[in-house]
Amino acid sequence: MTPDAPAPVLFEGCFGWLHPAAGRRGVVLCAPYGAEALATHRPWRAFAQALAEAGLPVLRFDYPGTGNSAGDEGDPARLEAWQAGIRAAAGHLRAVAGVEEVALVGLRLGGLLAAAAARAAAADALVLLSPFPSGRAFLQELRAVALLAERPADAPPAVGPEGIDSAGFRLSPEAAEALRELDLARVTEAPAPRVLILDRPEGRAAAVAERFRALGAAVEETPFPDHARLMTSVQHAAADCSAFARVAEWLSSDLAPAGTATTAPPSDPRLRLAGAVERPLRFGPGAGLFGILCEPVAAAEGPAVLLLNSGATPHTGTGRMSVRLARRLAARGIASLRLDLGGLGDSASKPGRRDGLIYCRDMVEDARAGLDALVAAGHGTAVAVGLCAGAAVALHVALADPRVVGLALVNPGRFVLGDGVTQEEAIGSAVKPAAAYLPRLTEPAVWRAILRQDRKASRVVRGLSERAARRLRIGAGRLRAGLMGRGYARDDVLHAFQALSDREVRTLMVHSEGDVTLGELEAQAGVDGGRLRRMAGLWMERLAGADHSLMERAAREHFAELLDELLDRIGTGATGAVRGQGPGPPEGTGALRVNHATGNSPA
């Protein structure tokens, strides 16, 4: 029997999804932390649905201060709040699904948190997937990942007095100190009567298993062979994870016959914040698309903002960037919709296409469905905002739909949509501006690499050759158009932006200084954007001290200020100015500002 579709729920400020089923044993899924939560979001969702299909009602949710839940990562007592969230989730599942038993299932840090909260949540069973055995072990790995990550040269240190910054997420010193006290090998009571532990070969959960057995729990251990594939990235995450199948089998092996109780209909899942109200929306064909509408308490002013996926990242954004932007916009009276395009985040899969692909041409219709949802909510026009692949979708939905009156494009990796690629394929095909390679052509080692057809060197040569051929083709199309009035190349970016300029769509294009996507800009429009910099209605910015995904907090703040300026320009028709920086350059003058990301405020 196929279970009902999952329903968005809200409890004690936590946003979640209830996957209904008729079984008497329910499951609360406790997600990992930060970048790992983003990478596993889609398979975690599929896991929840598979459990529901096995007859187990499931609740997956965002901890306080994460995802779509209320609060912020810098709020005090984060560890206590996360454990309270787990207890509240267990109570909510009992109340709305009528289950007699609750099992907690935690992945990575979620396993440590689930084990620590299990007794207070009255858990009947506990499943730990590659758990950290202690808070110290988690902090040790988090620090190592943060310190090894590539960062802009002038970015603040990843580990410092303000906490640990990793992949756009910050763990506060207070939260780190509280986590240091968690050690599963030193607990004095068994967390649950039955425990299943799945660990990677290099994991350290054996001592935890022995401790739980000594305390009277029935503990089973089994390998976690899919760990590396699951945790690598959004694209590599395994939807067919064998460990998930093993957990479903273990949880349902002694399951009593399904009861007759039905799941209580969820209450109105509106999250009321200071100055804003958020509510989930299901829209599009078959209501298969998902988004969060964030509206100011007072009447909204001007166009709404459509926030698109950054690459294959869910709608909350890298480092929760989209959530922060939406709530910031609401504070200044502007509504927004952060949505998942088809096959991403919490939207349904697209027929005939595997999940996790980006740069898909059919995503334009998904974004237009988002515009329809905004119109239904009373917002007739919108500014489309996209980072990386989301920028390409934003550009094409603006070309297709006159309801888009403004664009904010951040580090667009490509300007053309197609059948879709993985994020890894997009990164692997990226080529920097030609100036980055020309000095190296005098090095004998480089020529040796080219002659022996070194994979990386061959890719660069092929990319530069394709870029030159494309510029010739596009140039020929412009010549034809000049002589005949038609004949532009399909991927002529200048022609696309000219069409938007003629329609008086205001456009902000932002690149991180030195970002690899500047190569695509050069290929399409010339060095530093060439003729684009002289186009009416469009202005370009460079962010110093910023990485590709704007993981640095100061870079996010500077982009938020630039988005404010764009909205002001649309609202007033003036060229505007960046707050605190004096007058901005007039649009179409060829001026290019470099913004230095030096502050530390979150966006």
Side-chain angles (χ1 to χ4, degrees):
M1 181 181 68
T2 301
D4 295 334
V9 296
L10 187 70
F11 55 93
E12 298 189 23
C14 292
F15 177 84
W17 287 91
L18 178 64
H19 296 253
R24 294 189 174 119
R25 177 180 298 148
V27 179
V28 172
L29 294 185
C30 303
Y33 171 81
E36 292 186 335
L38 295 182
T40 58
H41 184 96
R42 193 76 179 178
W44 202 235
R45 171 182 180 269
F47 178 38
Q49 196 65 6
L51 290 171
E53 290 171 3
L56 301 155
V58 180
L59 177 60
R60 57 185 173 96
F61 73 105
D62 298 328
Y63 304 115
T66 73
N68 292 311
S69 292
D72 188 74
E73 61 187 5
D75 291 343
R78 286 301 81 195
L79 177 58
E80 181 181 332
W82 293 342
Q83 291 181 287
I86 294 173
R87 296 194 300 270
H92 186 76
L93 185 59
R94 287 188 176 97
V96 300
V99 295
E100 299 169 6
E101 299 179 17
V102 168
L104 302 184
V105 179
L107 175 62
R108 302 285 282 153
L109 181 63
L112 178 62
L113 298 176
R119 286 192 63 82
D124 300 280
L126 176 67
V127 178
L128 306 182
L129 292 157
S130 189
F132 287 99
S134 67
R136 289 181 183 273
F138 165 73
L139 293 170
Q140 182 181 26
E141 183 171 314
L142 186 67
R143 281 196 190 93
V145 170
L147 291 171
L148 291 172
E150 193 172 315
R151 295 169 67 84
D154 51 354
V159 180
E162 294 188 337
I164 304 173
D165 286 320
S166 178
F169 297 90
R170 173 175 291 175
L171 187 75
S172 70
E174 181 194 35
E177 190 60 36
L179 279 164
R180 281 191 191 94
E181 301 303 313
L182 282 186
D183 189 341
L184 298 185
R186 296 190 302 179
V187 295
T188 58
E189 295 179 289
R194 299 171 60 236
V195 180
L196 174 65
I197 300 177
L198 297 89
D199 203 9
R200 51 186 172 162
E202 68 275 21
R204 293 176 283 176
V208 174
E210 287 306 311
R211 183 61 178 172
F212 289 175
R213 286 193 186 99
L215 295 171
V219 181
E220 293 183 41
E221 295 178 82
T222 190
F224 191 169
D226 301 313
H227 171 88
R229 191 162 63 107
L230 179 69
M231 307 306 297
T232 301
S233 74
V234 174
Q235 274 72 35
H236 284 164
D240 58 344
C241 177
S242 63
F244 289 167
R246 173 72 183 98
V247 172
E249 178 187 8
W250 187 82
L251 286 173
S252 58
S253 61
D254 63 341
L255 198 61
T260 57
T262 57
T263 301
S267 58
D268 184 15
R270 293 175 189 250
L271 179 61
R272 288 172 170 77
L273 305 162
V277 177
E278 292 190 344
R279 58 187 171 100
L281 298 180
R282 306 287 287 272
F283 55 93
L289 298 172
F290 175 76
I292 297 284
L293 179 66
C294 182
E295 296 179 295
V297 172
E301 299 178 1
V305 172
L306 186 69
L307 296 166
L308 300 168
N309 297 92
S310 169
T313 302
H315 62 273
T316 51
T318 301
R320 216 184 178 204
M321 179 177 170
S322 294
V323 176
R324 295 173 183 275
L325 275 175
R327 294 175 184 178
R328 174 189 174 121
L329 290 167
R332 60 167 295 191
I334 297 169
S336 65
L337 175 65
R338 50 186 189 268
L339 80 155
D340 285 322
L341 300 165
L344 303 178
D346 284 300
S347 285
S349 300
K350 300 289 283 191
R353 168 156 69 76
R354 64 190 177 103
D355 290 351
L357 296 184
I358 56 178
Y359 294 110
C360 303
R361 63 173 61 89
D362 61 10
M363 288 177 169
V364 174
E365 291 308 309
D366 296 342
R368 295 187 76 176
L371 295 174
D372 293 340
L374 283 170
V375 169
H379 310 288
T381 59
V383 172
V385 178
L387 189 155
C388 186
V393 178
L395 170 62
H396 285 274
V397 75
L399 290 168
D401 202 309
R403 292 174 293 185
V404 178
V405 296
L407 280 175
L409 312 178
V410 185
N411 291 327
R414 302 181 182 186
F415 292 96
V416 177
L417 300 175
D419 294 331
V421 296
T422 67
Q423 190 160 295
E424 282 74 18
E425 290 167 342
I427 293 171
S429 63
V431 179
K432 296 178 182 178
Y437 299 106
L438 293 178
R440 299 204 61 196
L441 293 180
T442 61
E443 301 176 18
V446 172
W447 282 104
R448 285 196 296 271
I450 293 172
L451 291 173
R452 70 171 183 265
Q453 295 186 326
D454 173 83
R455 185 176 179 181
K456 183 175 181 181
S458 298
R459 176 175 61 80
V460 171
V461 171
R462 184 172 62 253
L464 292 174
S465 300
E466 290 173 352
R467 183 180 297 175
R470 179 169 46 179
R471 293 192 71 173
L472 287 173
R473 177 172 49 76
I474 289 174
R478 291 173 187 164
L479 180 61
R480 284 195 306 272
L483 295 173
M484 305 171 58
R486 58 186 175 81
Y488 286 104
R490 179 181 60 84
D491 55 347
D492 187 343
V493 167
L494 286 180
H495 181 52
F497 279 103
Q498 186 60 60
L500 294 176
S501 177
D502 293 344
R503 217 178 76 208
E504 298 185 350
V505 175
R506 295 198 174 239
T507 301
L508 163 68
M509 188 181 298
V510 178
H511 283 88
S512 300
E513 197 169 37
D515 195 71
V516 67
T517 57
L518 288 167
E520 180 69 9
L521 177 67
E522 178 187 281
Q524 293 283 1
V527 177
D528 285 337
R531 288 167 55 186
L532 282 180
R533 291 188 288 114
R534 299 186 294 276
M535 194 167 288
L538 182 149
W539 96 98
M540 305 175 73
E541 297 280 347
R542 296 284 168 79
L543 289 181
D547 63 288
H548 175 74
S549 297
L550 304 194
M551 293 182 188
E552 299 298 324
R553 299 165 79 85
R556 294 202 298 262
E557 176 64 24
H558 275 267
F559 172 66
E561 291 173 354
L562 291 170
L563 182 57
D564 285 345
E565 180 178 359
L566 174 65
L567 292 165
D568 287 345
R569 291 184 180 196
I570 292 170
T572 63
T575 58
V578 173
R579 291 159 183 75
Q581 294 187 17
E587 297 173 33
T589 62
L592 179 68
R593 284 186 295 184
V594 176
N595 283 268
H596 292 274
T598 56
N600 287 306
S601 300

